[in-house]
Amino acid sequence: MIRRVTGKSISENLHERIWSKLGTEQDAYFSVDSVGNKEFLAKAGFKTIPGWSYRDMWWVSHNEHGAFAARGVHGQAVYVDTKAEMVIARFASYPLAANSNLDPTTLPAFHALAKLLME
């Protein structure tokens, strides 16, 4: 939409309207995956988080608690379960960058902890 309206890419617009005016040393970097990341998330192949979706920089579990998470590399995570009134901030430096290495154990553990807190 930005390109259609301005005739310039998102990067060009951000440089012109934001970064150059702030006097930053470099422009910021951002990426968009090639297959989309909301209703098309399944096509991206995230097999360790079935049923989850991505919106506004947060991963949404769609579990019975409506938990959501910010997930970074090497195990960094913020897991929020408002129903259980629980927030987990994990500071980590796991040797492998991909979340798929930790999701099968940590996400169920976070959810189990939330359920335990509600007992």
Side-chain angles (χ1 to χ4, degrees):
M1 183 170 82
I2 291 171
R3 183 183 291 276
R4 286 186 209 154
V5 171
T6 66
K8 298 177 183 173
S9 71
I10 294 172
S11 295
E12 291 169 317
N13 274 288
L14 284 172
H15 172 76
E16 228 175 72
R17 297 172 182 260
I18 307 289
W19 308 126
S20 65
K21 293 184 185 330
L22 291 174
T24 58
E25 186 176 316
Q26 295 180 14
D27 289 354
Y29 293 94
F30 62 95
S31 64
V32 177
D33 65 72
S34 62
V35 295
N37 58 17
K38 293 183 181 172
E39 63 273 4
F40 302 110
L41 186 66
K43 293 180 185 178
F46 293 101
K47 295 177 181 161
T48 60
I49 51 173
W52 287 61
S53 63
Y54 186 77
R55 181 173 181 198
D56 299 327
M57 305 299 288
W58 291 93
W59 290 90
V60 182
S61 73
H62 302 287
N63 66 16
E64 70 272 19
H65 291 186
F68 53 96
R71 302 162 67 231
V73 298
H74 298 287
Q76 303 289 324
V78 176
Y79 185 90
V80 180
D81 186 320
T82 56
K83 189 171 182 180
E85 298 181 350
M86 177 189 84
V87 175
I88 296 173
R90 180 177 62 199
F91 302 94
S93 59
Y94 191 75
L96 302 173
N99 286 306
S100 61
N101 297 299
L102 298 168
D103 289 341
T105 55
T106 58
L107 295 176
F110 293 166
H111 185 58
L113 182 57
K115 290 194 301 189
L116 182 66
L117 289 172
M118 293 184 66
E119 290 181 357

